[in-house]
PDB file of all heavy atoms in Angstrom:
ATOM      1  N   THR F  30      20.433  -0.517 -17.904  1.00 96.00           N
ATOM      2  CA  THR F  30      19.059  -0.334 -18.200  1.00 96.00           C
ATOM      3  C   THR F  30      18.428   0.637 -17.239  1.00 96.00           C
ATOM      4  O   THR F  30      18.363   0.311 -16.032  1.00 96.00           O
ATOM      5  CB  THR F  30      18.259  -1.687 -18.148  1.00 96.00           C
ATOM      6  OG1 THR F  30      19.053  -2.737 -18.835  1.00 96.00           O
ATOM      7  CG2 THR F  30      16.915  -1.638 -18.827  1.00 96.00           C
ATOM      8  N   GLU F  42      -2.051   7.251   3.897  1.00 96.00           N
ATOM      9  CA  GLU F  42      -2.579   6.280   4.912  1.00 96.00           C
ATOM     10  C   GLU F  42      -4.020   6.028   4.542  1.00 96.00           C
ATOM     11  O   GLU F  42      -4.861   6.903   4.357  1.00 96.00           O
ATOM     12  CB  GLU F  42      -2.590   6.943   6.287  1.00 96.00           C
ATOM     13  CG  GLU F  42      -2.101   5.990   7.397  1.00 96.00           C
ATOM     14  CD  GLU F  42      -1.810   6.800   8.627  1.00 96.00           C
ATOM     15  OE1 GLU F  42      -2.722   7.156   9.344  1.00 96.00           O
ATOM     16  OE2 GLU F  42      -0.597   7.101   8.846  1.00 96.00           O
ATOM     17  N   LYS F  56       6.627  -1.244 -13.476  1.00 97.00           N
ATOM     18  CA  LYS F  56       5.724  -1.315 -12.377  1.00 97.00           C
ATOM     19  C   LYS F  56       6.238  -2.210 -11.234  1.00 97.00           C
ATOM     20  O   LYS F  56       6.283  -1.752 -10.084  1.00 97.00           O
ATOM     21  CB  LYS F  56       4.298  -1.859 -12.824  1.00 97.00           C
ATOM     22  CG  LYS F  56       3.704  -1.120 -13.969  1.00 97.00           C
ATOM     23  CD  LYS F  56       2.345  -1.712 -14.338  1.00 97.00           C
ATOM     24  CE  LYS F  56       2.433  -3.211 -14.822  1.00 97.00           C
ATOM     25  NZ  LYS F  56       3.172  -3.332 -16.158  1.00 97.00           N
ATOM     26  N   LEU F  60       7.467  -1.129  -7.534  1.00 98.00           N
ATOM     27  CA  LEU F  60       6.871  -1.757  -6.312  1.00 98.00           C
ATOM     28  C   LEU F  60       7.991  -2.327  -5.426  1.00 98.00           C
ATOM     29  O   LEU F  60       7.963  -2.192  -4.183  1.00 98.00           O
ATOM     30  CB  LEU F  60       5.881  -2.802  -6.648  1.00 98.00           C
ATOM     31  CG  LEU F  60       4.956  -3.225  -5.536  1.00 98.00           C
ATOM     32  CD1 LEU F  60       3.815  -2.221  -5.315  1.00 98.00           C
ATOM     33  CD2 LEU F  60       4.340  -4.619  -5.752  1.00 98.00           C
ATOM     34  N   LEU F 106       3.043 -19.694  -2.178  1.00 97.00           N
ATOM     35  CA  LEU F 106       2.746 -20.514  -1.048  1.00 97.00           C
ATOM     36  C   LEU F 106       3.652 -21.771  -0.976  1.00 97.00           C
ATOM     37  O   LEU F 106       4.150 -22.218  -2.038  1.00 97.00           O
ATOM     38  CB  LEU F 106       1.314 -21.022  -1.085  1.00 97.00           C
ATOM     39  CG  LEU F 106       0.263 -19.940  -1.088  1.00 97.00           C
ATOM     40  CD1 LEU F 106      -1.155 -20.535  -1.386  1.00 97.00           C
ATOM     41  CD2 LEU F 106       0.231 -19.109   0.202  1.00 97.00           C
ATOM     42  N   ALA F 112      -2.960 -24.408   4.359  1.00 98.00           N
ATOM     43  CA  ALA F 112      -3.292 -22.968   4.306  1.00 98.00           C
ATOM     44  C   ALA F 112      -2.895 -22.308   5.634  1.00 98.00           C
ATOM     45  O   ALA F 112      -2.205 -21.311   5.750  1.00 98.00           O
ATOM     46  CB  ALA F 112      -4.758 -22.793   4.044  1.00 98.00           C
ATOM     47  N   ASN F 115       0.860 -22.199   6.229  1.00 98.00           N
ATOM     48  CA  ASN F 115       1.517 -21.191   5.326  1.00 98.00           C
ATOM     49  C   ASN F 115       1.456 -19.814   6.014  1.00 98.00           C
ATOM     50  O   ASN F 115       2.377 -19.034   5.848  1.00 98.00           O
ATOM     51  CB  ASN F 115       0.835 -21.138   4.019  1.00 98.00           C
ATOM     52  CG  ASN F 115       1.574 -21.937   2.988  1.00 98.00           C
ATOM     53  OD1 ASN F 115       2.673 -21.534   2.489  1.00 98.00           O
ATOM     54  ND2 ASN F 115       1.108 -23.088   2.584  1.00 98.00           N
ATOM     55  N   LEU F 121       5.430 -17.132  13.135  1.00 95.00           N
ATOM     56  CA  LEU F 121       6.357 -17.765  14.062  1.00 95.00           C
ATOM     57  C   LEU F 121       7.782 -17.195  13.907  1.00 95.00           C
ATOM     58  O   LEU F 121       8.484 -16.949  14.872  1.00 95.00           O
ATOM     59  CB  LEU F 121       6.388 -19.321  13.744  1.00 95.00           C
ATOM     60  CG  LEU F 121       5.086 -20.046  14.051  1.00 95.00           C
ATOM     61  CD1 LEU F 121       5.165 -21.470  13.533  1.00 95.00           C
ATOM     62  CD2 LEU F 121       4.765 -20.055  15.527  1.00 95.00           C
ATOM     63  N   LEU F 138      -7.814 -16.169   7.684  1.00 97.00           N
ATOM     64  CA  LEU F 138      -8.483 -17.046   6.654  1.00 97.00           C
ATOM     65  C   LEU F 138      -9.987 -16.705   6.689  1.00 97.00           C
ATOM     66  O   LEU F 138     -10.617 -16.709   5.634  1.00 97.00           O
ATOM     67  CB  LEU F 138      -8.245 -18.493   6.918  1.00 97.00           C
ATOM     68  CG  LEU F 138      -6.846 -18.960   6.422  1.00 97.00           C
ATOM     69  CD1 LEU F 138      -6.492 -20.388   6.967  1.00 97.00           C
ATOM     70  CD2 LEU F 138      -6.766 -18.984   4.945  1.00 97.00           C
ATOM     71  N   GLN F 139     -10.571 -16.425   7.844  1.00 95.00           N
ATOM     72  CA  GLN F 139     -11.972 -16.107   7.916  1.00 95.00           C
ATOM     73  C   GLN F 139     -12.228 -14.804   7.144  1.00 95.00           C
ATOM     74  O   GLN F 139     -13.241 -14.638   6.484  1.00 95.00           O
ATOM     75  CB  GLN F 139     -12.426 -15.989   9.332  1.00 95.00           C
ATOM     76  CG  GLN F 139     -12.540 -17.311  10.108  1.00 95.00           C
ATOM     77  CD  GLN F 139     -12.507 -17.168  11.561  1.00 95.00           C
ATOM     78  OE1 GLN F 139     -12.771 -16.079  12.133  1.00 95.00           O
ATOM     79  NE2 GLN F 139     -12.117 -18.257  12.295  1.00 95.00           N
ATOM     80  N   GLY F 145     -12.945 -23.108   7.006  1.00 92.00           N
ATOM     81  CA  GLY F 145     -13.256 -24.453   6.424  1.00 92.00           C
ATOM     82  C   GLY F 145     -12.108 -24.982   5.543  1.00 92.00           C
ATOM     83  O   GLY F 145     -12.209 -26.125   5.090  1.00 92.00           O
ATOM     84  N   ASP F 185      -9.079 -16.479 -13.496  1.00 91.00           N
ATOM     85  CA  ASP F 185     -10.168 -16.165 -14.334  1.00 91.00           C
ATOM     86  C   ASP F 185     -10.952 -14.992 -13.761  1.00 91.00           C
ATOM     87  O   ASP F 185     -10.788 -14.597 -12.600  1.00 91.00           O
ATOM     88  CB  ASP F 185     -11.133 -17.391 -14.481  1.00 91.00           C
ATOM     89  CG  ASP F 185     -11.693 -17.808 -13.167  1.00 91.00           C
ATOM     90  OD1 ASP F 185     -12.499 -17.010 -12.531  1.00 91.00           O
ATOM     91  OD2 ASP F 185     -11.364 -18.876 -12.656  1.00 91.00           O
ATOM     92  N   GLN F 187     -13.857 -14.328 -12.679  1.00 92.00           N
ATOM     93  CA  GLN F 187     -14.669 -14.515 -11.474  1.00 92.00           C
ATOM     94  C   GLN F 187     -13.803 -14.566 -10.209  1.00 92.00           C
ATOM     95  O   GLN F 187     -14.108 -13.929  -9.244  1.00 92.00           O
ATOM     96  CB  GLN F 187     -15.524 -15.802 -11.545  1.00 92.00           C
ATOM     97  CG  GLN F 187     -16.813 -15.694 -10.859  1.00 92.00           C
ATOM     98  CD  GLN F 187     -17.632 -17.002 -11.004  1.00 92.00           C
ATOM     99  OE1 GLN F 187     -17.369 -17.715 -11.959  1.00 92.00           O
ATOM    100  NE2 GLN F 187     -18.539 -17.279 -10.143  1.00 92.00           N
ATOM    101  N   SER F 188     -12.724 -15.353 -10.320  1.00 91.00           N
ATOM    102  CA  SER F 188     -11.781 -15.428  -9.124  1.00 91.00           C
ATOM    103  C   SER F 188     -11.080 -14.103  -8.928  1.00 91.00           C
ATOM    104  O   SER F 188     -10.837 -13.708  -7.786  1.00 91.00           O
ATOM    105  CB  SER F 188     -10.715 -16.501  -9.361  1.00 91.00           C
ATOM    106  OG  SER F 188     -11.326 -17.738  -9.686  1.00 91.00           O
ATOM    107  N   ASN F 200      -9.347  -2.787   2.571  1.00 97.00           N
ATOM    108  CA  ASN F 200      -9.142  -1.304   2.481  1.00 97.00           C
ATOM    109  C   ASN F 200     -10.241  -0.566   3.183  1.00 97.00           C
ATOM    110  O   ASN F 200      -9.979   0.476   3.857  1.00 97.00           O
ATOM    111  CB  ASN F 200      -9.132  -0.926   0.996  1.00 97.00           C
ATOM    112  CG  ASN F 200      -9.027   0.570   0.832  1.00 97.00           C
ATOM    113  OD1 ASN F 200      -9.936   1.242   0.331  1.00 97.00           O
ATOM    114  ND2 ASN F 200      -7.891   1.158   1.195  1.00 97.00           N
ATOM    115  N   ARG F 202     -11.598  -1.438   5.839  1.00 94.00           N
ATOM    116  CA  ARG F 202     -11.300  -1.550   7.261  1.00 94.00           C
ATOM    117  C   ARG F 202     -10.027  -0.732   7.589  1.00 94.00           C
ATOM    118  O   ARG F 202      -9.519  -0.758   8.661  1.00 94.00           O
ATOM    119  CB  ARG F 202     -11.053  -2.954   7.697  1.00 94.00           C
ATOM    120  CG  ARG F 202     -12.299  -3.845   7.519  1.00 94.00           C
ATOM    121  CD  ARG F 202     -11.888  -5.332   7.584  1.00 94.00           C
ATOM    122  NE  ARG F 202     -11.139  -5.662   8.740  1.00 94.00           N
ATOM    123  CZ  ARG F 202     -11.483  -6.616   9.615  1.00 94.00           C
ATOM    124  NH1 ARG F 202     -12.559  -7.266   9.490  1.00 94.00           N
ATOM    125  NH2 ARG F 202     -10.698  -6.912  10.654  1.00 94.00           N
ATOM    126  N   THR F 205      -3.994   0.205   4.093  1.00 98.00           N
ATOM    127  CA  THR F 205      -3.412   0.882   2.964  1.00 98.00           C
ATOM    128  C   THR F 205      -2.945  -0.164   1.959  1.00 98.00           C
ATOM    129  O   THR F 205      -2.270  -1.136   2.336  1.00 98.00           O
ATOM    130  CB  THR F 205      -2.135   1.699   3.452  1.00 98.00           C
ATOM    131  OG1 THR F 205      -2.585   2.547   4.522  1.00 98.00           O
ATOM    132  CG2 THR F 205      -1.583   2.486   2.280  1.00 98.00           C
ATOM    133  N   ILE F 206      -3.305   0.027   0.657  1.00 98.00           N
ATOM    134  CA  ILE F 206      -2.930  -0.948  -0.337  1.00 98.00           C
ATOM    135  C   ILE F 206      -2.244  -0.323  -1.540  1.00 98.00           C
ATOM    136  O   ILE F 206      -2.740   0.748  -2.007  1.00 98.00           O
ATOM    137  CB  ILE F 206      -4.167  -1.739  -0.818  1.00 98.00           C
ATOM    138  CG1 ILE F 206      -4.879  -2.458   0.387  1.00 98.00           C
ATOM    139  CG2 ILE F 206      -3.771  -2.803  -1.864  1.00 98.00           C
ATOM    140  CD1 ILE F 206      -6.160  -3.244  -0.006  1.00 98.00           C
ATOM    141  N   VAL F 209      -0.238  -3.246  -8.106  1.00 97.00           N
ATOM    142  CA  VAL F 209       0.199  -3.114  -9.540  1.00 97.00           C
ATOM    143  C   VAL F 209      -0.696  -3.984 -10.418  1.00 97.00           C
ATOM    144  O   VAL F 209      -1.040  -5.098 -10.018  1.00 97.00           O
ATOM    145  CB  VAL F 209       1.657  -3.592  -9.698  1.00 97.00           C
ATOM    146  CG1 VAL F 209       1.984  -3.877 -11.156  1.00 97.00           C
ATOM    147  CG2 VAL F 209       2.643  -2.552  -9.141  1.00 97.00           C
TER     148      VAL F 209
END
Side-chain angles (χ1 to χ4, degrees):
T30 314
E42 223 166 82
K56 304 180 299 294
L60 194 80
L106 299 172
N115 263 286
L121 296 170
L138 281 168
Q139 287 160 21
D185 61 64
Q187 210 178 339
S188 305
N200 176 247
R202 295 163 56 124
T205 307
I206 303 179
V209 162

